[in-house]
């Protein structure tokens, strides 16, 4: 029998709220408004609602005829940096956009403030600010070409390629420059941009990342999720379609364009599983209801005799409720999350980092003692968090621990705007389900099947293997857009079966 590997080594970084690198992280969220007085206040509220999509840094840009473009970029939470008092008088105007982000690696410092979006460029026909959610998979090649042709980059962000491509376009208007630029770009992009008078939203041809349209009085709103519309009292109108560009102004209203060749939609299925807030709407479906249905499908596929169904807070909660309802096993809060931990509240020494999960989660000992417990979580990435939670449950006296995972095994990295470990660090890339069960040390471990996940998100017949309805590359290894830069660096795509 093959010897099971020891726990993957985690990168050394200050302790924060990112689950010791054992969760997939969406890297950013975007928000924009036009036609609303004191736009910056609305943008700050929208970014606050999108904080789950990026907690490292945020930025806001506005325009006012008397003051021109103004901007603010800060590290940390929106609530700490963009209060009404801090915005008053410094970010005037009735048009503005904002961005929240995760950094993918390394510590924060002054040298990285240049990477905080929105980015800005001044062209002959006026300035443009741009915020991007996603990842450009041919950014290395574009960057090399642009530098060789004289472009001078100010950041390490792949999004800056769009600004330089726009600058080199021979088109006269900024929307036309943007069309030119984005036709050169590969990968995933939901872009919110602004000129002095126009708010612009664009999704890539397969629509990997989300972008929605709303209205607030006479104003218009673009956001990564509908929950950001709710916070400012805006009405959800529709999703921006894959491959669509909308150009909105207070004077001319909304105009829609189709600058790209038509392609089948491949929206990220993990938005349904984890990234989006449960109170958002995706594809006309409540994210919360979809996650509860995932739990129902999981209970049908992987039943077990047990006394309690407990979520791993907070992302496993809706699926655990669905699992409980379908299985008839009582639902209980066997693990309690410390809602007030925030980020680094004490010196992040090695000893504190090793405490990891215990700083965020605590077991309800009186509830689980002597019980057979089903733990429902959204995913297993490196597996280190799952192992620590299992140890905590056993220490609290549980008789059995059964893990049920509300997504298929994550065996492939994402190149479309998600901070994913390299493939060798993904537990499912090197182990079978049985080996993962033994390594984590639980009585049983089951993942929902890919077909089960598709059924839960509304595809009654499951996944169409000839033409998948979603981007599920992190599970299947089938990438809807070839990750050109990574292939050039030696990344091996999944061989055809």
């Amino acid at each position: 029998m093959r010897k099971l590997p020891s726990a993957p080594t985690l990168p050394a970084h200050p302790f924060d709220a990112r689950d010791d690198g054992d969760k997939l992280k969406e890297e950013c969220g975007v928000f924009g408004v036009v036609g609303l007085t004191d736009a910056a206040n609305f943008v700050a509220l929208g970014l606050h609602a999108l904080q789950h999509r990026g907690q490292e840094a945020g930025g806001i840009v506005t325009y006012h005829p008397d003051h021109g473009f103004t901007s603010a970029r800060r590290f940390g939470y929106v609530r700490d940096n963009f209060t009404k008092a801090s915005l008053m008088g410094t970010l005037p105007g009735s048009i503005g956009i904002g961005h929240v982000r995760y950094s993918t690696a390394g510590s924060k410092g002054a040298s990285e403030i240049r990477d905080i979006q929105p980015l800005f460029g001044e062209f002959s026909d006026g300035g443009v600010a741009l915020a991007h959610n996603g990842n450009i998979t041919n950014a290395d090649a574009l960057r090399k070409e642009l530098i060789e042709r004289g472009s001078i980059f100010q950041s390490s962000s792949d999004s800056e390629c769009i600004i330089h491509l726009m600058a080199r376009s021979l088109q006269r208007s900024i929307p036309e420059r943007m069309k030119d630029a984005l036709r050169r770009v590969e990968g995933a992009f939901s872009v919110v941009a602004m000129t002095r008078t126009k708010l612009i939203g664009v999704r890539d041809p397969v629509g990997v990342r989300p972008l929605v349209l709303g209205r607030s009085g006479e104003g218009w709103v673009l956001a990564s999720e509908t929950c950001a519309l709710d916070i400012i009292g805006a009405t959800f109108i529709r999703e921006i379609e894959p491959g669509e560009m909308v150009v909105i102004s207070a004077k001319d209203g909304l105009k829609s364009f189709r600058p790209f060749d038509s392609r089948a939609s491949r929206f990220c299925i993990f938005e349904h599983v984890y990234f989006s807030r449960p109170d958002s709407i995706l594809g006309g479906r409540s994210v919360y209801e979809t996650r509860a249905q995932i739990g129902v499908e999981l209970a049908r596929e992987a039943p077990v005799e047990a006394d309690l169904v407990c979520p791993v807070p907070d992302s496993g909660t809706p699926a655990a409720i669905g699992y409980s309802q379908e299985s008839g096993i009582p639902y209980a809060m066997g693990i309690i999350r410390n809602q007030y931990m925030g980020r680094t509240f004490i010196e992040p020494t090695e000893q504190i980092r090793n405490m990891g999960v215990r700083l965020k989660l605590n077991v309800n000992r009186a509830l689980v003692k002597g019980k057979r417990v089903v733990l429902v979580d959204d995913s297993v990435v490196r597996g280190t968090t799952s192992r620590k939670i299992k140890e905590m449950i056993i220490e609290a006296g549980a008789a059995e621990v059964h893990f049920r995972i509300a997504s298929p095994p994550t065996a492939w990295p994402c190149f479309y705007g998600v901070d994913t470990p390299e493939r060798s660090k993904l537990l499912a890339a090197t182990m079978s389900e049985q080996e993962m069960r033994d390594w984590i040390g639980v009585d049983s471990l089951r993942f929902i099947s890919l077909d089960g996940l598709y059924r839960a998100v509304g595809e009654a017949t499951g996944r169409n293997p000839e033409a998948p309805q979603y981007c599920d590359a992190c599970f299947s290894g089938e990438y809807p857009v070839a990750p050109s830069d990574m292939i050039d660096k030696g990344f091996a795509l999944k061989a055809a079966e």
Side-chain angles (χ1 to χ4, degrees), residues 300-375:
R300 292 169 180 170
E301 292 185 349
V304 65
E305 291 187 5
D307 303 306
L308 297 174
V309 175
C310 302
V312 175
D314 292 316
S315 54
T317 300
I321 291 171
Y323 192 101
S324 171
Q325 291 173 342
E326 179 66 18
S327 66
I329 302 170
Y331 171 89
M333 294 297 293
I335 301 174
I336 307 301
R337 185 179 187 88
N338 179 1
Q339 302 289 349
Y340 304 99
M341 185 193 68
R343 292 180 58 83
T344 310
F345 66 100
I346 50 179
E347 184 68 23
T349 63
E350 186 65 27
Q351 182 180 4
I352 294 300
R353 283 198 296 268
N354 288 339
M355 291 174 68
V357 174
R358 295 179 186 272
L359 289 171
K360 297 186 285 290
L361 305 175
N362 192 43
V363 177
N364 191 340
R365 292 174 175 267
L367 193 66
V368 306
K369 186 175 181 180
K371 302 291 178 52
R372 298 169 297 174
V373 179
V374 179
L375 291 178

Side-chain angles (χ1 to χ4, degrees), residues 168-417:
R168 291 188 170 275
S169 171
L170 299 178
Q171 297 294 328
R172 301 279 306 179
S173 72
I174 286 175
E176 291 300 321
R177 286 176 182 266
M178 186 172 290
K179 290 178 188 178
D180 258 8
L182 293 177
R183 288 187 185 111
R184 294 284 316 278
V185 167
E186 298 173 5
F189 53 86
S190 283
V191 171
V192 170
M194 59 174 280
T195 68
R196 289 170 292 184
T197 59
K198 294 180 175 65
L199 181 67
I200 303 170
V202 196
R203 283 181 78 191
D204 67 76
V206 298
V208 177
R209 306 254 72 86
L211 189 63
V212 300
L213 173 70
R215 292 221 64 174
S216 178
E218 296 301 310
W220 295 84
V221 188
L222 290 169
S224 290
E225 294 182 39
T226 60
C227 64
L229 303 179
D230 297 337
I231 199 172
I232 67 166
T235 301
F236 170 64
I237 302 299
R238 64 177 178 88
E239 296 180 357
I240 304 302
E241 296 293 328
E244 181 184 14
M245 169 187 277
V246 293
V247 180
I248 312 168
S249 69
K251 177 182 177 182
D252 299 324
L254 182 145
K255 296 180 180 179
S256 174
F257 304 91
R258 295 282 180 168
F260 311 108
D261 294 335
S262 178
R263 295 182 59 185
S265 173
R266 295 291 296 275
F267 182 63
C268 171
I269 201 167
F270 213 80
E271 290 279 356
H272 288 284
V273 175
Y274 177 68
F275 293 144
S276 295
R277 261 179 42 170
D279 51 334
S280 285
I281 304 294
L282 292 177
R285 294 172 59 88
S286 158
V287 174
Y288 176 90
E289 291 178 359
T290 295
R291 290 176 186 168
Q293 187 60 35
I294 291 173
V296 170
E297 294 288 342
L298 188 54
R300 292 169 180 170
E301 292 185 349
V304 65
E305 291 187 5
D307 303 306
L308 297 174
V309 175
C310 302
V312 175
D314 292 316
S315 54
T317 300
I321 291 171
Y323 192 101
S324 171
Q325 291 173 342
E326 179 66 18
S327 66
I329 302 170
Y331 171 89
M333 294 297 293
I335 301 174
I336 307 301
R337 185 179 187 88
N338 179 1
Q339 302 289 349
Y340 304 99
M341 185 193 68
R343 292 180 58 83
T344 310
F345 66 100
I346 50 179
E347 184 68 23
T349 63
E350 186 65 27
Q351 182 180 4
I352 294 300
R353 283 198 296 268
N354 288 339
M355 291 174 68
V357 174
R358 295 179 186 272
L359 289 171
K360 297 186 285 290
L361 305 175
N362 192 43
V363 177
N364 191 340
R365 292 174 175 267
L367 193 66
V368 306
K369 186 175 181 180
K371 302 291 178 52
R372 298 169 297 174
V373 179
V374 179
L375 291 178
V376 180
D377 203 357
D378 61 89
S379 61
V380 172
V381 181
R382 298 173 185 248
T384 51
T385 299
S386 300
R387 198 147 107 161
K388 291 172 183 176
I389 290 172
K390 179 271 305 184
E391 292 170 355
M392 291 167 60
I393 294 286
I394 291 297
E395 288 173 8
E400 296 176 6
V401 180
H402 303 271
F403 258 111
R404 294 295 180 267
I405 309 302
S407 62
T410 304
W412 296 85
C414 175
F415 301 117
Y416 305 133

